[in-house]
Amino acid sequence: MASESATVISNTGNLMKYMNLDQRGRIQAEYVWIDANGGTRSKTKTLFKPVTSVDELPEWNFDGSSTSQAPGDNSDVYLRPVAYYPDPFRQGDNILVLCETWDADGSPNKYNYRHEANRLMETNAHEGFWFGLEQEYTLLGTDGWPYGWPRGGFPGAQGPYYCGVGTGKVYCRDIVEAHYRACLYAGINISGINAEVMPSQWEYQVGPCPGIDMGDHLWMSRFLLHRVAEEFGVRISFEPKPIKGEWNGAGLHSNVSTNATRAEGGMKAIEAAMKKFEARHVEHIAVYGEGNEERLTGRHETGNIDKFSYGVADRGGSIRIPRQVAKDNKGYFEDRRPASNADPYQITGIIVETMCGGL
Ligand code: ADP
Ligand code: MN
Ligand code: MN
Ligand code: MN
Ligand code: MN
């Protein structure tokens, strides 16, 4: 845990003077990858001209023994660029580069869940999968306790905080606004934000995104959140149940539709999908996040982890069919089981597999 006596000496005003210096035509490319603990890591490479296609981005590597992604005696892990976005921090022609991780023997790294998901998305491209993820998270102070909560104590009971407005009801709106704008600048398909039920907990939505874009955009949005919060000296937690007891957990509700569910009479396709989901509840839970059993208790707007259920407008089930979808007889459904720390590639991958079959 970070020492509380550490003095922060960063000076944004001073920094701006240097950020405005001419780059002399060189580009800074921030290579971002997913580590062994559900976090993101990044390092920077100078390029010699602006990038117009992902194929122009060179492969790179990092020391996997320093991130628990490779053994010390065979430590090189390769970074393969798969997407790039305008960099909201350095701006100009500078970019953020999302990478897949590959081992020296030519196989995907153990923590590269994108490779398999992408194969599933490509095989089933004709199904027209769209996803929309609701990312919940908690803001923590450097002491690890929710930001703005009394030290070692608790705020008043839940009620005033969800979509709250006003002092004592919401915390760190500055970080939330900064992150929202950074996502928009980067071209992340962020579709909204709201303050959550537990104070210092927030949500943002990304989507609808087709196929593999969902995981790509969500991972880049997570990187941006950690990176923005770093400038404010606040920690981001994706723990599914950061505070035990009568405090809501944090999820990653996953909304799903296909050509068939969006077509006239698409409720039939949704009902058919529910049968398939029911048969694979255990397999889904296995990839829906670490520590999710603390969250999926059947209380606090969750379903029970041991039992699959679904229903129209039911926020206590595994899957909810929105009221409007039932009314329109077509649309999408919401898988409410994934925890806030789940990997979006694993979530969207298993959903495609369950609805369409494996590779
Ligand atoms: P909730 O009422 O569950 O809090 P939100 O408004 O937070 O709902 O999130 C709804 C999500 O559903 C958004 O991420 C949005 O992108 C997604 N969504 C909307 N329509 C579709 C669709 N047709 N297919 C997939 N996702 C969708
Ligand atoms: Mn070195
Ligand atoms: Mn929501
Ligand atoms: Mn929510
Ligand atoms: Mn939801």
Side-chain angles (χ1 to χ4, degrees):
M1 189 167 294
S3 158
E4 285 189 54
S5 61
T7 311
V8 178
I9 53 162
S10 85
N11 178 332
T12 312
N14 233 347
L15 171 65
M16 285 320 293
K17 190 170 70 185
Y18 299 95
M19 295 308 282
N20 288 329
L21 291 175
D22 194 337
Q23 292 184 228
R24 308 279 186 221
R26 307 254 159 132
I27 303 308
Q28 288 163 296
E30 190 74 15
Y31 278 51
V32 177
W33 73 94
I34 299 148
D35 72 12
N37 310 107
T40 48
R41 309 256 180 157
S42 74
K43 59 178 190 165
T44 318
K45 190 178 196 59
T46 301
L47 304 177
F48 296 90
K49 59 177 174 41
V51 170
T52 55
S53 146
V54 76
D55 318 315
E56 295 167 17
L57 288 161
E59 196 171 289
W60 204 11
N61 56 64
F62 67 95
D63 168 14
S65 71
S66 298
T67 65
S68 312
Q69 285 174 282
D73 58 0
N74 187 15
S75 64
D76 276 7
V77 176
Y78 292 89
L79 291 171
R80 281 197 198 150
V82 292
Y84 68 98
Y85 309 87
D87 181 342
F89 306 106
R90 298 182 173 123
Q91 305 182 36
D93 288 326
N94 303 301
I95 53 176
L96 306 173
V97 179
L98 183 69
C99 300
E100 277 192 20
T101 50
W102 287 77
D103 292 345
D105 67 359
S107 55
N109 186 258
K110 184 174 166 202
Y111 303 96
N112 174 358
Y113 297 112
R114 187 185 187 278
H115 175 64
E116 165 105 358
N118 195 35
R119 288 181 60 211
L120 283 159
M121 298 303 166
E122 283 178 351
T123 304
N124 297 290
H126 56 279
E127 301 284 351
F129 271 95
W130 294 357
F131 302 99
L133 266 50
E134 305 168 44
Q135 177 72 70
E136 294 180 336
Y137 63 95
T138 309
L139 299 156
L140 307 178
T142 48
D143 58 356
W145 196 237
Y147 192 94
W149 286 31
R151 181 160 299 223
F154 296 87
Q158 293 183 162
Y161 311 112
Y162 171 74
C163 297
V165 179
T167 302
K169 294 182 185 145
V170 291
Y171 299 100
C172 301
R173 198 185 287 279
D174 47 4
I175 294 174
V176 174
E177 287 291 331
H179 173 251
Y180 198 163
R181 193 62 68 88
C183 283
L184 290 175
Y185 181 93
I188 300 303
N189 187 15
I190 185 167
S191 39
I193 55 170
N194 61 268
E196 269 303 336
V197 175
M198 185 180 104
S200 231
Q201 202 164 74
W202 289 82
E203 170 180 315
Y204 62 91
Q205 300 94 31
V206 178
C209 292
I212 201 68
D213 279 5
M214 185 68 254
D216 289 354
H217 281 222
L218 195 80
W219 271 113
M220 196 45 87
S221 75
R222 285 176 172 178
F223 167 79
L224 290 170
L225 185 55
H226 282 297
R227 178 65 182 70
V228 166
E230 167 191 320
E231 294 189 17
F232 291 81
V234 170
R235 286 207 248 161
I236 302 299
S237 169
F238 290 117
E239 278 295 301
K241 193 77 179 183
I243 307 295
K244 317 296 169 221
E246 297 306 312
W247 302 96
N248 273 33
L252 187 59
H253 294 168
S254 300
N255 300 274
V256 186
S257 68
T258 63
N259 292 335
T261 69
R262 292 188 299 267
E264 288 307 321
M267 267 299 277
K268 257 204 174 61
I270 293 177
E271 292 283 349
M274 292 307 105
K275 297 258 174 329
K276 295 181 177 176
F277 274 90
E278 180 158 33
R280 298 192 79 216
H281 180 64
V282 174
E283 288 88 340
H284 280 254
I285 291 295
V287 296
Y288 277 1
E290 294 277 332
N292 207 10
E293 65 283 354
E294 305 249 25
R295 168 180 164 261
L296 293 183
T297 57
R299 303 181 57 229
H300 303 107
E301 303 175 56
T302 69
N304 191 300
I305 195 164
D306 297 320
K307 194 177 157 289
F308 179 87
S309 65
Y310 76 94
V312 173
D314 181 6
R315 288 178 194 269
S318 312
I319 292 185
R320 174 176 71 103
I321 298 166
R323 173 82 60 205
Q324 191 62 37
V325 171
K327 218 164 136 196
D328 295 344
N329 199 23
K330 64 176 179 186
Y332 67 99
F333 58 89
E334 178 193 44
D335 190 341
R336 298 175 61 81
R337 295 170 293 176
S340 46
N341 60 357
D343 186 311
Y345 296 130
Q346 288 188 286
I347 297 173
T348 56
I350 197 168
I351 287 173
V352 171
E353 192 181 86
T354 293
M355 289 175 71
C356 304
L359 290 166

